[in-house]
Amino acid sequence: MSSLLPPEVHSHLAQIVQGLSSPDNTIRSQAEETLQTQWIEGRPDVLLMGLVEQMENASNTEQSSMRSFPAVLIRRVSSRPRKDPSTGETKELFQTLPQAQQFAIREKLLHVLSSETMPEVRNKIADAVAEIAREYTDEGQEWAEMVTVMFQMSVSNDARQRECAFRIFCHAPGLIRKYPDETLVEAFTRGFKDSDVSVRIAAMEAFAAFFRFIGRQTQPKFYGLVTEILNIIPPLKDAQDSDQLSQALVALIELAEIAPRMFRQLFTSLVSFSITVIQDKELDDTTRQNALELMMTFADNAPQLCKKDPSYTTEMVTQCLSLMTEIGEDDEDASEWANSENVEADDDDGNHIAGEQSMDRLANKLGGAVILPPTFGWLPRMITSSNWRDRHAALMAISAISEGCRDLMESELDKVLDLVVPTLRDPHPRVQWAGCNALGQMSTDFAITMQTKYVSVVLSNILPVLESSEPRVQAHAAASLVNFCEEAEKEVLEPYLDGLLSRLLALLRSPKRFVQEQALSTIATVADAAEAAFARYYDTLMPLLFSVVREESSKEYRLLRAKAMECMTLIALAVGKEKLGQDALPLLQLLATVQPENITEPDDPQASYLLHCWMRMCRVLRQDFVPYLNGVMPALMELASAKADIQLLDDADQVAEVGQEEGWELVPMKGKVVGIRTASLDDKHMAIELIVIYAQVLEEAFEPYVVEIMDQIALPGLSFFFHDAVRVASAKCVPQLLNSYKKAHGEGSPALVTLWRRTIIKILEVLGTEPAVETLSEMYQCLYESMEVMGKDCLTGEDMAAFIEASKSTLQEYQTRFKRRQEQSSLPGNAANNGGEGQEEDDGYIDDPEQESEELAYAIENDQTLLSDMNKAFHTVFKRQGASFLEHWQRLLPFCDAFVTSQEPTQRQWSLCVLDDVLEFCGENSYQFAPYIMKPLIDGLRDDIAGNRQAACYGVGVAAQRGGEQWSEFVAASLPSLFAVTQRHDAREEDHVFATENACASIARIMLFNHTKLGGPAEVDGVVELWIDTLPVVNDTEVAVYAYTFLGNLIVQKHPLILRQPSKILTFIIQALMAETLLGEAENRAIEHAKLLLSMLDFETAKGLLEEIVLKDEDVRRRLGMYFQ
């Protein structure tokens, strides 16, 4: 095809391409600048056409890079964001070009693709074609000639062209979606049966991408292809072709992840084949591990399928344990392992690690009942084997499965410990190490049980290992003690502190730095757990730690110094300010010498340790720490101000390179991958959390930093959408900053009001934009905690309107999620609809009912938390704004009406709680909404859900107390239902007692505040007689005061019903006092009323009454006994 561009354009582009390929950084940077400013921004159409013609005009005899690199540039440039000149809308660059130019570039690109003969170049061109095709499908447009060419290539006589066609289908599966299913089945079947193995694998990869694209309801139409797919892999194993077998297994993994049930009819055969691959040591490790991962993908996504297979569990456990023995093959005596200084370094991609991780996943997904029998069929034999690798594998298996098998293993810990404990004396150091690992993991997974029932077994056996001759074993024994001590109470540890700390002190003198480092971490953990009991070791340890930090200044000791600082400050926190005494100033001065400005290397661990050390010292010294804030805050605020580090990765090499680096998260997006550097964001999150602590502890003394932090860190952090934890920490930070500022300037001060205005605007904004349900709950919490700080009438009319608008949006989105869950639960085969765990109907869409159930439960829990935090927000708004909020709130009445009649208990409770707030904080103004309130409360009193009955009872009580005379008929009519709540057979059971006590208190409120419609004295006395039997109130501190105030009034009035049963009445009062349900003045009044009741009796009767009740609380006995002195 003839060139459409003049020679000078090609000359310039050739120079740019050459410059971009240069190894010289300066030349490459200049070329990148020219490409961006002169071509991408100025002449993108000419650039793309020119790059296509560069490939077209380059001779096949020239270097392949002259044709492949322009293809890479086309792929990168075409998807960059650009504003469409005609509409101003931001689109991908290729989509902003005029239609005629798009057509011309596409035509030439397809011509170049069809004529290219070198496979590696053709693949690069295919990737560029696929990228542009993907843009069209994303925009809902078609590229018909492209699909025609692809289908022609898929039946070409040239195998490389057939492979190329499937490669494009893989990257742009939307291209072929509109074709008839029969046509697609025929095309894929032809690919799966192709004579060329590379084409067959490319077809597998394309099918996996297409299968994910089409969605689960359409997928069953293609299940019939699974036989042809599986027929591809046995010949690859027979040929011992690890590379291509590995590729094929990766494609199968993706399919198994998407729709594991499509393999159900052939699953047993697939299990058998995969096991033979895992076993085959002639294949490379990656291939064997991919076969293992394929089987694990079924465990993750279809555990019921795995449980039903007759051989899956036994074979998988056996192979995992076998892989775990493939360790230290060239290091029989562990000399190389023992001499390694880098104890963190392990063969992360080794087979033994893959085996361990798979055992962990099997246990968590299949459960103890399935995993334990085959596992413990092997472990006793392995742990007594003469081969150290078997013993090591057995111990690591126990570590791996203990979390997933917790419930069943916990009852058998005696037997498990009988296997593990002797290995701490094993002759081989790696077995000793594994024994320590098992005890440490069990201390976490069986926390509390291990720290109470087996404390002697663990500590008496692990402490001698601290004296092992192998430093790595010593260090790991110390590490296992961290796990144990983190969950131990100080009373448990105290008898062992001498032996524990004497050995740890000895480890500090080890010649191995990693041993010293671990000893410091363990001492720090022991101090944290032992608290004040650690004080007697303070004088021995603290001088030693000072020496470590002062004397060990070289680079290799940075981590040791950091851990020493951590240990010192944890000890200070444990023993307290008084014991720290004169060491406080030297310790602060010592920390100051390690300030961030003296830390010049980014990998220096002292920086992050130091931030936490300062925070601990602040907690110890409190206001005495203020002079040091200026030295601490700059580094902390710099971390907290970090911006998101984001990279667009547009080729596989970049993705692979970044994916191998720690601290990055890769997010697929429109055919590209976005890399987000999470390491810096984790630091940002940590820094904001530390700021929260400083503000909490220092309060008004933190004021100098509040405005800058609020404006530059906390408020922007509320909408920092790259990192959920940053938003959560920011939401917790805002109320603390407001509190500090309020303490410094005073409530209602102009400075505080000014800060609040910009704060509340941002909070209300994020309520309408937060995308994550669980994080949105935190934003509502941020609102109500901030309003609690700010006080009455802190919202304007505009604020209240914005709050309602955001809440309306939140409730609409909640209703959409709720409706979607209901629709999904009604699908055939759904776990919520099929009446039994693990049923997998042929026409259903649920591959794993258990997993679906877990995900559903998680989603429901998140929504319940959200509604609860919304309730608290509404409660606070009504509390602070009163009746002025009603005109805004009434816009949500349709939601209240819908929720209060819902079959979903959480929705009913949400509505009832809001109605309670209307009654409680709007007084007589609430009656205008009586038609919306009365029936829900009456229905709520009969609700089977205790929490809803409680809310309804509370509502009747506040209507009586706050609503005025206009509510009198309603509350009087509610009495029978309130009594019915207290008379249920389960009224005093734990789940129902709060509803019962609220009913009792609400009756009391009616009698105290609004009893005019009860009738005459006889009717009132009838209510009193019944009410006395609804006592006591010994759980709900909020409403108990009303019940005992009314009871006290009856005592003061010498009501006959009181005098008739003094023992019963006195018992009710004493029960409340012993339960500490009555606080402050209410408690004092109750005691006085008890004394008054006793004074109405003669001395002997009163004395006998007290003896009859048998007071068990010494304090209550003392206070009541004072009456008789």
Side-chain angles (χ1 to χ4, degrees):
M1 298 178 71
S2 60
S3 175
L4 300 178
L5 300 176
E8 57 268 23
V9 169
H10 286 295
S11 176
H12 289 155
L13 284 177
Q15 291 177 8
I16 290 175
V17 171
Q18 188 173 6
L20 291 171
S21 306
S22 173
D24 188 303
N25 288 337
T26 302
I27 295 174
R28 192 167 61 252
S29 297
Q30 290 173 348
E32 289 171 353
E33 176 69 18
T34 302
L35 178 69
Q36 179 64 36
T37 57
Q38 296 183 19
W39 296 91
I40 295 177
E41 295 176 5
R43 308 170 70 188
D45 51 343
V46 177
L47 170 64
L48 291 175
M49 178 59 80
L51 290 172
V52 175
E53 291 192 348
Q54 288 274 311
M55 294 186 293
E56 183 181 42
N57 297 334
S59 167
N60 282 342
T61 60
E62 295 184 58
Q63 288 185 350
S64 61
S65 62
M66 295 299 293
R67 302 194 305 285
S68 62
F69 193 59
V72 173
L73 287 177
I74 291 172
R75 183 173 184 269
R76 292 179 180 177
V77 170
S78 65
S79 59
R80 292 200 180 187
R82 180 183 185 236
K83 282 193 175 182
D84 191 327
S86 60
T87 65
E89 181 183 358
T90 299
K91 298 181 178 179
E92 291 179 287
L93 185 145
F94 193 83
Q95 299 300 311
T96 67
L97 302 181
Q99 290 295 323
Q101 293 176 3
Q102 289 186 35
F103 179 82
I105 294 169
R106 290 187 338 228
E107 185 180 33
K108 274 191 174 284
L109 198 54
L110 289 180
H111 172 73
V112 171
L113 177 66
S114 301
S115 59
E116 178 58 57
T117 58
M118 294 186 67
E120 62 273 18
V121 177
R122 186 191 294 116
N123 286 342
K124 296 291 186 185
I125 299 171
D127 292 344
V129 169
E131 179 60 29
I132 293 174
R134 193 268 312 157
E135 293 180 28
Y136 276 97
T137 57
D138 285 354
E139 293 292 328
Q141 302 175 23
E142 294 186 10
W143 185 359
E145 64 270 26
M146 163 67 186
V147 180
T148 301
V149 171
M150 290 305 96
F151 274 109
Q152 290 173 352
M153 290 178 68
S154 72
V155 294
S156 167
N157 292 328
D158 183 348
R160 301 286 71 81
Q161 288 211 5
R162 300 198 298 274
E163 179 186 358
C164 185
F166 285 112
R167 183 183 180 94
I168 293 174
F169 289 153
C170 180
H171 291 298
L175 273 175
I176 57 176
R177 178 63 196 97
K178 292 186 178 179
Y179 278 74
D181 294 340
E182 297 78 10
T183 302
L184 297 176
V185 167
E186 181 183 349
F188 280 120
T189 302
R190 190 166 53 245
F192 297 151
K193 294 182 175 181
D194 198 282
S195 59
D196 188 283
V197 65
S198 296
V199 178
R200 297 199 295 271
I201 293 174
M204 287 180 72
E205 294 171 337
F207 181 74
F210 169 76
F211 203 69
R212 184 180 293 278
F213 180 83
I214 59 177
R216 67 193 306 178
Q217 292 192 357
T218 307
Q219 288 167 358
K221 297 177 182 180
F222 296 88
Y223 280 6
L225 291 172
V226 69
T227 302
E228 299 297 342
I229 295 171
L230 294 181
N231 284 340
I232 296 171
I233 54 178
L236 300 177
K237 180 182 182 299
D238 294 341
Q240 292 288 291
D241 190 337
S242 287
D243 290 343
Q244 293 188 317
L245 177 56
S246 189
Q247 274 186 271
L249 288 169
V250 169
L252 284 178
I253 290 169
E254 184 172 3
L255 286 172
E257 186 179 87
I258 302 165
R261 68 191 325 274
M262 75 181 291
F263 295 91
R264 187 170 58 179
Q265 300 302 322
L266 298 170
F267 186 63
T268 298
S269 299
L270 182 56
V271 170
S272 299
F273 174 79
S274 299
I275 294 300
T276 64
V277 176
I278 299 169
Q279 291 173 326
D280 193 341
K281 295 185 179 182
E282 297 301 315
L283 295 168
D284 67 26
D285 288 348
T286 300
T287 304
R288 296 173 65 199
Q289 289 180 28
N290 280 340
L292 179 69
E293 181 59 29
L294 174 61
M295 291 293 97
M296 289 311 308
T297 302
F298 285 104
D300 289 340
N301 295 281
Q304 293 300 318
L305 181 63
C306 299
K307 290 177 184 179
K308 292 178 180 179
D309 187 82
S311 62
Y312 177 90
T313 304
T314 302
E315 291 285 7
M316 282 296 292
V317 167
T318 301
Q319 294 311 311
C320 287
L321 292 173
S322 177
L323 288 171
M324 291 168 66
T325 66
E326 296 183 23
I327 182 173
E329 295 183 6
D330 298 323
D331 189 26
E332 183 65 33
D333 62 355
S335 56
E336 181 181 340
W337 173 84
N339 291 326
S340 173
E341 292 289 331
N342 187 1
V343 295
E344 299 298 329
D346 205 343
D347 187 9
D348 289 342
D349 58 355
N351 289 341
H352 66 287
I353 299 295
E356 288 174 28
Q357 293 172 345
S358 296
M359 285 295 289
D360 176 46
R361 290 161 68 184
L362 286 171
N364 278 291
K365 283 298 180 178
L366 305 190
V370 175
I371 289 299
L372 288 177
T375 302
F376 276 86
W378 282 106
L379 293 192
R381 284 178 284 169
M382 294 177 70
I383 216 158
T384 57
S385 168
S386 59
N387 187 330
W388 71 264
R389 295 180 181 85
D390 292 341
R391 304 196 298 277
H392 182 278
L395 291 165
M396 297 307 291
I398 291 172
S399 300
I401 67 172
S402 61
E403 179 187 10
C405 301
R406 180 188 298 116
D407 293 342
L408 291 179
M409 285 181 68
E410 192 155 22
S411 62
E412 302 292 335
L413 280 181
D414 287 312
K415 297 175 183 177
V416 178
L417 287 169
D418 285 344
L419 293 176
V420 174
V421 168
T423 66
L424 298 176
R425 299 180 292 275
D426 194 279
H428 198 284
R430 296 200 72 166
V431 177
Q432 290 182 34
W433 185 98
C436 295
N437 193 80
L439 276 186
Q441 190 62 51
M442 291 167 67
S443 296
T444 297
D445 293 334
F446 307 110
I448 308 305
T449 302
M450 288 286 285
Q451 283 79 3
T452 51
K453 187 175 180 181
Y454 299 103
V455 58
S456 176
V457 174
V458 174
L459 292 181
S460 62
N461 284 283
I462 200 73
L463 291 183
V465 187
L466 295 172
E467 300 170 338
S468 168
S469 59
E470 290 291 347
R472 290 195 67 170
V473 175
Q474 290 179 313
H476 211 54
S480 71
L481 284 166
V482 170
N483 294 48
F484 185 86
C485 294
E486 280 179 337
E487 304 294 341
E489 297 293 333
K490 57 185 177 182
E491 295 79 11
V492 169
L493 287 179
E494 196 163 353
Y496 298 92
L497 287 178
D498 287 343
L500 178 55
L501 287 167
S502 63
R503 289 173 171 86
L504 290 172
L505 282 169
L507 293 186
L508 289 177
R509 295 187 287 272
S510 169
K512 295 291 187 180
R513 190 171 64 253
F514 66 80
V515 175
Q516 297 173 349
E517 292 167 354
Q518 183 57 62
L520 287 170
S521 291
T522 307
I523 291 170
T525 305
V526 173
D528 192 36
E531 298 178 345
F534 200 84
R536 68 176 186 265
Y537 307 99
Y538 177 90
D539 294 333
T540 302
L541 268 169
M542 198 58 104
L544 180 61
L545 297 173
F546 269 107
S547 298
V548 171
V549 180
R550 286 171 176 156
E551 296 172 9
E552 306 294 355
S553 57
S554 56
K555 181 176 179 178
E556 61 268 26
Y557 286 98
R558 294 182 309 187
L559 182 58
L560 183 67
R561 296 177 77 226
K563 286 182 176 289
M565 292 188 294
E566 175 188 51
C567 190
M568 295 168 80
T569 52
L570 278 168
I571 289 173
L573 198 58
V575 302
K577 180 180 177 180
E578 184 176 348
K579 180 63 179 176
L580 185 62
Q582 295 182 348
D583 284 337
L585 182 59
L587 178 51
L588 290 167
Q589 292 172 338
L590 186 64
L591 295 177
T593 65
V594 199
Q595 275 298 76
E597 56 264 24
N598 300 323
I599 297 173
T600 57
E601 299 183 16
D603 64 340
D604 191 334
Q606 294 177 103
S608 61
Y609 275 80
L610 184 65
L611 292 174
H612 286 88
C613 290
W614 283 122
M615 177 271 295
R616 294 186 199 103
M617 293 306 296
C618 177
R619 290 174 59 192
V620 173
L621 300 176
R622 304 189 75 81
Q623 296 300 314
D624 291 342
F625 184 80
V626 172
Y628 296 90
L629 266 182
N630 284 335
V632 174
M633 293 307 298
L636 189 62
M637 291 170 67
E638 182 181 355
L639 269 184
S641 302
K643 307 298 182 185
D645 184 355
I646 302 172
Q647 293 186 21
L648 181 64
L649 311 174
D650 49 11
D651 64 46
D653 293 339
Q654 283 183 306
V655 172
E657 181 180 350
V658 173
Q660 291 175 355
E661 297 181 23
E662 289 188 11
W664 284 85
E665 179 181 354
L666 302 181
V667 181
M669 186 179 296
K670 287 192 173 182
K672 302 291 181 65
V673 175
V674 174
I676 303 174
R677 189 172 180 271
T678 55
S680 62
L681 302 187
D682 291 339
D683 290 342
K684 179 182 179 77
H685 165 233
M686 176 268 292
I688 298 174
E689 286 192 321
L690 292 180
I691 288 172
V692 173
I693 295 172
Y694 282 118
Q696 283 176 333
V697 172
L698 299 177
E699 294 189 314
E700 67 270 20
F702 196 68
E703 184 273 344
Y705 306 95
V706 167
V707 171
E708 183 179 355
I709 292 173
M710 186 73 87
D711 290 341
Q712 298 184 14
I713 296 169
L715 295 183
L718 293 177
S719 54
F720 193 82
F721 296 117
F722 301 103
H723 200 275
D724 291 354
V726 167
R727 301 200 301 283
V728 171
S730 299
K732 294 186 182 303
C733 190
V734 167
Q736 297 303 327
L737 295 174
L738 289 170
N739 184 61
S740 295
Y741 213 65
K742 175 183 173 181
K743 291 288 180 71
H745 291 272
E747 184 173 350
S749 65
L752 178 62
V753 171
T754 300
L755 179 65
W756 169 242
R757 288 314 312 151
R758 57 183 184 269
T759 300
I760 186 59
I761 289 170
K762 183 64 176 181
I763 294 173
L764 294 172
E765 173 194 313
V766 298
L767 289 182
T769 58
E770 172 55 52
V773 174
E774 56 269 45
T775 310
L776 183 56
S777 299
E778 300 285 348
M779 298 304 161
Y780 277 98
Q781 185 175 336
C782 175
L783 172 67
Y784 67 71
E785 288 182 353
S786 298
M787 289 186 65
E788 289 289 0
V789 172
M790 293 304 300
K792 190 170 177 58
D793 295 325
C794 58
L795 298 184
T796 65
E798 291 79 6
D799 295 337
M800 289 185 278
F803 172 65
I804 290 298
E805 193 61 36
S807 298
K808 181 179 178 183
S809 174
T810 299
L811 292 171
Q812 287 171 337
E813 290 172 2
Y814 164 79
Q815 287 178 318
T816 299
R817 292 192 298 275
F818 180 75
K819 182 179 179 181
R820 187 185 308 125
R821 288 196 292 265
Q822 285 186 311
E823 290 171 350
Q824 289 175 347
S825 68
S826 66
L827 287 172
N830 188 278
N833 192 50
N834 63 21
E837 179 182 320
Q839 296 180 17
E840 300 177 55
E841 301 297 330
D842 289 340
D843 55 353
Y845 302 114
I846 304 304
D847 296 306
D848 173 23
E850 284 185 357
Q851 183 172 347
E852 289 286 327
S853 179
E854 289 175 10
E855 293 172 355
L856 179 64
Y858 183 70
I860 291 173
E861 181 182 359
N862 282 339
D863 271 335
Q864 289 174 341
T865 302
L866 174 60
L867 291 180
S868 174
D869 281 313
M870 288 187 75
N871 270 140
K872 293 173 185 175
F874 275 96
H875 176 84
T876 307
V877 175
F878 272 116
K879 177 181 175 182
R880 294 306 189 201
Q881 303 302 132
S884 67
F885 183 50
L886 285 174
E887 65 174 294
H888 304 284
W889 168 76
Q890 64 184 353
R891 292 171 53 198
L892 297 184
L893 279 173
F895 291 99
C896 288
D897 281 349
F899 280 27
V900 84
T901 57
S902 169
Q903 295 299 307
E904 169 59 35
T906 306
Q907 293 182 23
R908 299 199 299 276
Q909 187 173 52
W910 182 88
S911 189
L912 286 167
C913 288
V914 174
L915 296 177
D916 287 354
D917 293 329
V918 172
L919 290 163
E920 184 168 9
F921 299 111
C922 300
E924 295 184 1
N925 290 293
S926 64
Y927 197 73
Q928 61 185 298
F929 298 102
Y932 298 96
I933 296 176
M934 289 181 175
K935 187 176 187 305
L937 289 186
I938 294 299
D939 290 343
L941 295 174
R942 305 186 187 103
D943 201 303
D944 287 334
I945 303 300
N948 295 349
R949 290 200 306 280
Q950 179 183 346
C953 290
Y954 185 87
V956 173
V958 291
Q961 182 180 358
R962 306 285 177 85
E965 177 66 21
Q966 55 199 343
W967 284 97
S968 58
E969 289 189 8
F970 169 75
V971 298
S974 301
L975 281 172
S977 296
L978 288 169
F979 278 115
V981 171
T982 69
Q983 293 161 0
R984 288 171 57 104
H985 71 279
D986 53 6
R988 289 290 168 180
E989 291 180 6
E990 182 179 355
D991 291 340
H992 298 268
V993 70
F994 278 86
T996 302
E997 292 186 349
N998 269 264
C1000 168
S1002 290
I1003 297 169
R1005 278 171 143 171
I1006 294 171
M1007 303 302 289
L1008 285 167
F1009 304 111
N1010 213 330
H1011 59 271
T1012 59
K1013 295 297 191 295
L1014 297 187
E1019 287 80 9
V1020 170
D1021 284 349
V1023 172
V1024 171
E1025 184 172 14
L1026 290 172
W1027 175 78
I1028 289 173
D1029 287 332
T1030 69
L1031 290 164
V1033 177
V1034 292
N1035 293 278
D1036 196 325
T1037 57
E1038 183 179 359
V1039 300
V1041 61
Y1042 300 108
Y1044 287 95
T1045 296
F1046 180 56
L1047 185 63
N1049 289 354
L1050 294 174
I1051 293 172
V1052 171
Q1053 296 165 10
K1054 299 182 180 180
H1055 197 288
L1057 289 169
I1058 298 296
L1059 298 179
R1060 192 183 306 161
Q1061 44 191 345
S1063 174
K1064 186 175 185 178
I1065 302 302
L1066 188 60
T1067 299
F1068 289 152
I1069 296 175
I1070 291 174
Q1071 285 175 326
L1073 293 172
M1074 292 176 66
E1076 298 183 349
T1077 314
L1078 297 169
L1079 306 173
E1081 188 57 35
E1083 180 185 27
N1084 294 332
R1085 286 199 306 268
I1087 293 173
E1088 291 304 315
H1089 290 143
K1091 291 179 182 180
L1092 180 60
L1093 178 59
L1094 289 169
S1095 72
M1096 297 175 188
L1097 310 173
D1098 62 75
F1099 182 83
E1100 291 301 323
T1101 302
K1103 183 179 178 181
L1105 185 57
L1106 287 173
E1107 291 173 351
E1108 175 190 339
I1109 294 172
V1110 188
L1111 297 179
K1112 297 180 181 179
D1113 189 288
E1114 183 65 34
D1115 188 47
V1116 174
R1117 181 187 296 115
R1118 177 183 58 79
R1119 281 177 285 175
L1120 287 179
M1122 289 171 60
Y1123 176 76
F1124 300 101
Q1125 293 178 353

